[in-house]
Amino acid sequence: MTVENSTKTWIGSSPTRLNGLAYTKGQVRYSADLIPAGSLHVALVRSPFRRAAIKTISKDRALEMEGVVAVVDGAEIAAVSDPVPPAFPFPPPNTGRPVLGHCLAVELTSYAGQAVVAVVAKSPHAAEAAAERVEIDYEELVGVETAEEGLLPSSPIVHEGWTSNVVGEDRIFAGDTELAFRQADVVVEGEVEVRPSTVAAMEPICYIGSWDVQQQRLTVTGTFQNPHTSRWQIATALRVDETDVRVVAPAMGGGFGFKMAGHPEEFLVSVLSRMLGQPVAYVENRRDTLAGHCREQRHRFKIASTRDGRITAFEDVFIADVGVVGPCNGWTMPLVTGTVFPTVYHIPNVSIRGTVAASNKAPWRPIRGYGKEIANLVMERSIETLAAKLEIDPVELRLRNVHPPEALPRPLPSGLNVDSGDYPTALRELKALFGYDQWCKRRDDTRTSEIRIGVGVGVELTPEGGARPGAFPSGFETASIRMSPTGKVEISIGVTSPGSGNETGLAQIVADVMGLRPDEIRVRQGDTDTVPVGTGNASSRAILYGGPAAHLAAVDLRDKLAICASNLLSVDVAEVSFEGGYAIVADGRKASLAELAFGAHTRPFTVAKGVQLPLEATRSYQPSNVRVAPDANGRIATYSSFPYSAHAVAVELDTGTGHVKVLDIATVHDCGVMINPTLVTEQLKGAIAMGIGAALWEELKHDAHGLLLTDRFKSYLLPRATDLPTIKVGHMCTPSPFHPLGLKGAGESGLAGALAAAINAVSDAMKPGGATLTVVPMTPPRLLDQVLPDASR
C-alpha cells in the first residue's frame, strides 16, 4: 500500500546546492587531481596529414630519453585488443559496418591529428619531450576534404570496408510540398552554412587506467559522462568480462556532451596499464581538446505562405560533414537535426532531405544541442526571411503560425510526439520582458547610420530524453535507495553530473517523498561498481528519467517505513505521514526515521513486522512518450519531452569594422515543472552564452592539410563576461502530460534560441530579413567580405 506524503516542500524551491561550498572554495578534486603518485604519463604523436600510409616508425631516439618507459604503436595495441565498438550502432541496412575503432592508427591515418604513437614516461614533460623524437615516415594519400566532395562518384572511400562515404540519410515528408509551393502566394529561399565549432569545456578530458595485476581487474577514473557505456566499450575491446572493469567519474568541469563515451584515450590508458602493469594517465592539452569538431552542416531551405502570412510549406535539404566515424556517437547528431522540423509551427506540407557524409576530418564529438540547434536556426532564419518578404513584423508572423496550446500533444512529421506548451503566450511575454517595441524603435532610428541596431527573435523546440533503440543503455534509468540502521538515506543512481548540480535536484525529489531536507540525502553517482546501470549524462535524462526512478524508489522505501511506524505507534498504516524527519500520526505522536530504521534492524519481528527487509528499494523509470514500433511512415519516436523557449537579442553593428556588440538578451522558457528554479535558470544562461558564442565568434579553422589553426583561446574566441549583458529570464510551466512529475528537461534549452536570435539580430542590422546566405558564425571579416561591402561606411 502506498502512503501519501502530506508535505510537498522541496520541488519548485532552490535550496543551497549540495557540496556547493566545496566547489566555490576549490576543495573539489577533479580527475587530474586524482592521478596516483608514481603513475606513468602518456603523450601522443599525431599525424600531420589528412590521409596517409604509415611506412616506418622509428622509436630509438625517444626510447633513449630519460624517464621513458615505452613507445607503443597501433600495431602493438591491435595485437592485444579489438577495436572499440560504437556507442550507437548504425541503423539497417548498415548495422555492423566498421568504424575507426583503434585508439592508435594502424597502417593508415584517416585525419590530421589522429594519434599514431603513444609515448609513456614517468612524467608528462618527459613523455612530451620524447614524443618529439619519434620519427614516422608517411606516404601522403589523397583524402576527402569536404562532405560534398566525398559524395562524388569519383571520391576516395574514407572508411575501409564501406562502399560509399554516405554515413546516413533521412527523408521526412508530410503533405504535398510540390503542390503547395506551386499554389503559394509567396515563396522565399535561403541558405545557412554552419562552420565547425566545439564546446571548449573548462576541464579537458583526463583518464587514469590502473590494472590490478593480482586481481586481474581494471579501474579507469576520468571525465566520463557515460560510465557504464565506457565500461562496456573498454571491456569489449580488452576482451575481458565487463565485471572486471570499473569506471569511476569524479567531479567534472563541464561536459556539454563532449565527454560522452567513445574517446580513443579511454581505451588507450586501459590497454597501456595492462601492458605495463602500472597506472597510466592521459591529460589532454587545450590544442587537442579543440581538435574535436562538430556542427558542420549546409542547409538550403524554401518556405511558402499566403499573402496574409499563413505558412503552407517548408522544405530543407542539407548535408552534414561528420569527418571519420569512430566509437563516439557524435556522427548521429545530424540525423537528429531533421527530426525537429518544423519545430513549433503549424506547417501542413514539409519535406526534409538530410545526408550525413564522411570526410578525412576528425570525428565529431557530441555537443550540447545535439543537432537540434541547427534545425531551430534554419527554421528561424526561414521565418525571418519570409517576414521581410511579406513586410510583416517577425513576432507577428510567428504568432500567426505557432501551434496553439489546445493543439498539443501533436506529432511532428518525423514521428516525434510533442507533449505540451503555450507558444503564443511565451512570445507575448517575451515581447514585454525584452521591451521589443522599444528596441524596434531604436533600431529604426539607426537604419541609415554607420552604427546600426539589429533586433532578432528565435523560438526553439528542444526534444529531450533521447532513447534510441540499440544504444547502450537506452530508454530507462534506475535508482536504488537504502536507509542505514542510524536512519541515513543514500540513493545510488545510474545518471551522472557534468557539474550542473543535478544531484541537488535528485535529493530534493527524494526529500519530498521522505519528509527530509535535501542535505540529509546522500546521492551516489558515477561509479560502475556501486550504482545501477544507467546512461550517465545525456539529453536531460539525469532529472527527466533519473528523477522519477529516484521518486519511485523513495516511495517504496517510505512505504516500508510507514509499516514500521504503524507497528511502533499502533495505528493503521494509512494514518502515517512524513515530515521533518518524523513519521507522524493524527494525534500528534511521532517517531523519528532514525528510530524506525534502528528498530527495523534490531527488532525486525515487531517493528518491521510485515516489511520485506532490508530498508532498501530499487526502481526503474521508462518514459511513456517514446515509441519504438514504426508508424505508418516507418518512423519511431526516440524523444520523450519537448521543452521550448522564445528568445530576443539586440545587437549593435559597426558597418565600418563588422564588429558586433550584444546589447540585450531576454528569454521566456518552459521546461514544465522545475525541480530547482535556480539551477534551471543558471543552466539556461550558460546555454544562451554558448548560443551567442556559436553565432558570433566560435569557429574551428584548419589549414590546407587539415591541421588545426584555432588551437588556443587566443584564436578560438569565446564570449567573455564583458561581451554579454545581463540575461533576462522568464519562466512558464506547462507540465508534460506524459511525465509523472510533469518534467520536460532543461539540459540543452537556450542554446538554439539564442543562436537563432543573435543571427537574426545581426541580419536585421544589415537589412530587414538579412542576406539569403547566412554563414555561422557571423564574424567581422565575414560580415565585411560577404555582407557589408556595399554598406555605407
Side-chain angles (χ1 to χ4, degrees):
M1 176 179 182
T2 298
V3 179
E4 290 301 322
N5 186 9
S6 62
T7 59
K8 294 285 185 183
T9 57
W10 293 111
I11 291 180
S13 65
S14 298
T16 300
R17 177 177 171 176
L18 300 183
N19 300 321
L21 285 178
Y23 282 92
T24 58
K25 292 180 177 180
Q27 297 172 343
V28 173
R29 301 182 73 198
Y30 295 90
S31 294
D33 299 319
L34 300 173
I35 298 174
S39 294
L40 302 178
H41 297 264
V42 177
L44 297 174
V45 183
R46 298 182 179 274
S47 169
F49 299 109
R50 179 174 283 114
R51 185 166 181 263
I54 303 169
K55 307 298 288 184
T56 61
I57 299 174
S58 178
K59 309 175 183 178
D60 293 345
R61 294 181 64 225
L63 287 167
E64 291 170 355
M65 294 192 65
E66 184 178 355
V68 173
V69 175
V71 179
V72 182
D73 60 39
E76 292 173 279
I77 297 290
V80 296
S81 65
D82 294 326
V84 177
F88 278 39
F90 289 106
N94 295 315
T95 305
R97 188 167 55 173
V99 300
L100 201 71
H102 290 291
C103 57
L104 296 177
V106 181
E107 297 183 351
L108 184 75
T109 69
S110 298
Y111 60 93
Q114 183 179 4
V116 179
V117 173
V119 178
V120 187
K122 295 179 180 179
S123 74
H125 301 298
E128 290 165 7
E132 296 180 1
R133 296 200 177 192
V134 176
E135 298 174 358
I136 304 175
D137 180 23
Y138 297 96
E139 178 188 348
E140 188 172 5
L141 304 174
V142 176
V144 178
E145 295 188 29
T146 67
E148 288 85 356
E149 177 187 317
L151 294 174
L152 296 174
S154 59
S155 173
I157 301 298
V158 172
H159 289 274
E160 294 186 52
W162 292 26
T163 57
S164 78
N165 291 322
V166 175
V167 179
E169 295 179 306
D170 205 1
R171 305 291 186 260
I172 300 170
F173 302 100
D176 188 336
T177 53
E178 291 186 6
L179 178 63
F181 279 117
R182 287 198 302 268
Q183 296 179 344
D185 296 330
V186 178
V187 177
V188 296
E189 299 181 42
E191 295 186 14
V192 176
E193 179 182 351
V194 182
R195 302 300 301 142
S197 58
T198 186
V199 304
M202 184 180 297
E203 179 196 24
I205 67 171
C206 170
Y207 304 113
I208 309 137
S210 183
W211 179 262
D212 188 312
V213 178
Q214 286 188 325
Q215 295 191 19
Q216 293 289 289
R217 196 166 192 266
L218 174 73
T219 298
V220 192
T221 302
T223 49
F224 292 99
Q225 279 189 233
N226 315 119
H228 280 97
T229 305
S230 291
R231 181 178 74 160
W232 166 71
Q233 289 180 311
I234 292 168
T236 301
L238 274 180
R239 307 168 187 164
V240 301
D241 290 340
E242 194 175 345
T243 53
D244 289 330
V245 177
R246 177 190 183 190
V247 172
V248 180
M252 186 181 294
F256 311 111
F258 189 81
K259 295 170 182 173
M260 293 178 73
H263 291 266
E265 297 84 2
E266 299 177 24
F267 178 67
L268 180 62
V269 299
S270 303
V271 69
L272 288 175
S273 180
R274 187 170 73 165
M275 291 172 67
L276 301 172
Q278 292 180 251
V280 176
Y282 173 79
V283 180
E284 190 174 52
N285 59 41
R286 185 57 62 184
R287 176 185 177 85
D288 290 342
T289 298
L290 290 171
H293 77 298
C294 49
R295 291 201 175 118
E296 190 172 359
Q297 300 188 31
R298 188 183 185 100
H299 291 249
R300 295 176 176 86
F301 65 79
K302 186 162 64 172
I303 190 167
S305 77
T306 61
R307 289 185 179 85
D308 64 354
R310 300 291 176 178
I311 301 173
T312 57
F314 175 78
E315 177 184 277
D316 182 58
V317 179
F318 71 90
I319 296 175
D321 186 341
V322 297
V324 301
V325 177
C328 202
N329 56 307
W331 63 272
T332 66
M333 289 188 285
L335 295 176
V336 175
T337 299
T339 67
V340 186
F341 290 113
T343 69
V344 299
Y345 301 102
H346 173 64
I347 304 177
N349 304 289
V350 175
S351 172
I352 310 296
R353 295 178 174 87
T355 302
V356 181
S359 67
N360 289 110
K361 297 176 182 175
W364 273 24
R365 295 185 183 180
I367 192 170
R368 186 191 222 166
Y370 210 82
K372 296 167 273 189
E373 77 280 22
I374 309 301
N376 282 286
L377 169 63
V378 173
M379 195 73 239
E380 292 304 295
R381 284 300 301 140
S382 72
I383 295 291
E384 206 77 8
T385 52
L386 179 61
K389 180 73 173 181
L390 293 169
E391 298 183 341
I392 296 176
D393 176 79
V395 174
E396 176 57 32
L397 181 62
R398 289 174 170 88
L399 285 168
R400 293 182 190 182
N401 290 282
V402 294
H403 283 277
E406 60 270 17
L408 303 177
R410 64 176 177 90
L412 291 170
S414 63
L416 300 182
N417 191 45
V418 181
D419 45 13
S420 64
D422 188 344
Y423 312 136
T425 297
L427 280 164
R428 294 187 182 101
E429 290 193 4
L430 175 70
K431 287 186 67 175
L433 179 66
F434 180 64
Y436 179 78
D437 294 336
Q438 295 89 332
W439 273 117
C440 288
K441 183 178 185 308
R442 289 181 62 182
R443 174 203 60 198
D444 294 343
D445 292 341
T446 66
R447 280 293 190 203
T448 59
S449 302
E450 182 176 353
I451 307 296
R452 302 177 188 171
I453 287 175
V455 177
V457 172
V459 182
E460 71 170 27
L461 183 72
T462 306
E464 294 284 44
R468 177 179 170 176
F472 180 87
S474 186
F476 71 97
E477 294 295 347
T478 305
S480 295
I481 192 170
R482 66 175 60 183
M483 178 172 277
S484 73
T486 56
K488 300 299 181 182
V489 176
E490 178 182 85
I491 184 156
S492 299
I493 193 162
V495 302
T496 59
S497 173
S500 60
N502 66 46
E503 63 275 10
T504 304
L506 292 167
Q508 288 177 245
I509 292 171
V510 173
D512 256 0
V513 174
M514 302 299 299
L516 295 168
R517 300 188 313 272
D519 61 7
E520 294 177 294
I521 311 295
R522 180 174 181 178
V523 180
R524 187 180 294 277
Q525 300 172 285
D527 185 339
T528 58
D529 269 9
T530 62
V531 304
V533 172
T535 298
N537 181 259
S539 196
S540 293
R541 289 174 51 136
I543 297 295
L544 194 62
Y545 287 13
H551 181 272
L552 291 169
V555 168
D556 284 356
L557 175 60
R558 188 189 64 194
D559 286 353
K560 291 185 177 184
L561 291 170
I563 296 173
C564 293
S566 71
N567 291 335
L568 190 65
L569 300 174
S570 301
V571 296
D572 188 271
V573 69
E575 299 180 41
V576 180
S577 63
F578 294 84
E579 184 175 356
Y582 289 89
I584 304 171
V585 295
D587 62 9
R589 290 181 299 132
K590 59 185 180 180
S592 71
L593 298 192
E595 183 181 358
L596 296 176
F598 195 74
H601 285 86
T602 59
R603 291 177 286 157
F605 297 105
T606 54
V607 174
K609 184 179 180 180
V611 174
Q612 181 66 49
L613 293 174
L615 294 180
E616 298 178 4
T618 296
R619 293 291 297 272
S620 293
Y621 169 76
Q622 289 182 293
S624 62
N625 197 29
V626 168
R627 178 177 43 78
V628 296
D631 62 15
N633 296 318
R635 309 293 307 192
I636 61 174
T638 57
Y639 285 91
S640 65
S641 66
F642 297 81
Y644 64 94
S645 52
H647 300 252
V649 172
V651 301
E652 181 182 84
L653 172 64
D654 186 331
T655 60
T657 64
H659 178 263
V660 176
K661 179 181 179 181
V662 183
L663 302 176
D664 199 6
I665 306 171
T667 183
V668 174
H669 173 243
D670 182 355
C671 63
V673 173
M674 291 185 288
I675 302 298
N676 187 309
T678 295
L679 290 178
V680 170
T681 299
E682 299 312 310
Q683 179 90 346
L684 183 69
K685 289 180 179 179
I688 289 170
M690 187 176 284
I692 299 292
L696 301 179
W697 298 293
E698 297 185 44
E699 180 177 2
L700 292 169
K701 299 178 182 179
H702 302 80
D703 67 12
H705 299 287
L707 287 170
L708 183 68
L709 295 173
T710 48
D711 60 356
R712 63 197 68 193
F713 287 149
K714 286 187 176 181
S715 51
Y716 186 84
L717 303 181
L718 295 169
R720 301 162 298 182
T722 53
D723 294 321
L724 300 177
T726 300
I727 299 172
K728 296 181 286 191
V729 176
H731 291 291
M732 293 172 51
C733 177
T734 56
S736 171
F738 301 109
H739 194 279
L741 302 179
L743 312 181
K744 296 182 185 178
E748 297 176 279
S749 294
L751 190 151
L755 168 62
I759 292 294
N760 285 338
V762 176
S763 300
D764 182 54
M766 296 184 298
K767 62 178 182 179
T772 55
L773 174 62
T774 300
V775 182
V776 178
M778 284 186 158
T779 59
R782 191 163 282 141
L783 290 171
L784 290 175
D785 292 345
Q786 298 185 23
V787 184
L788 294 172
D790 299 324
S792 60
R793 321 200 264 273

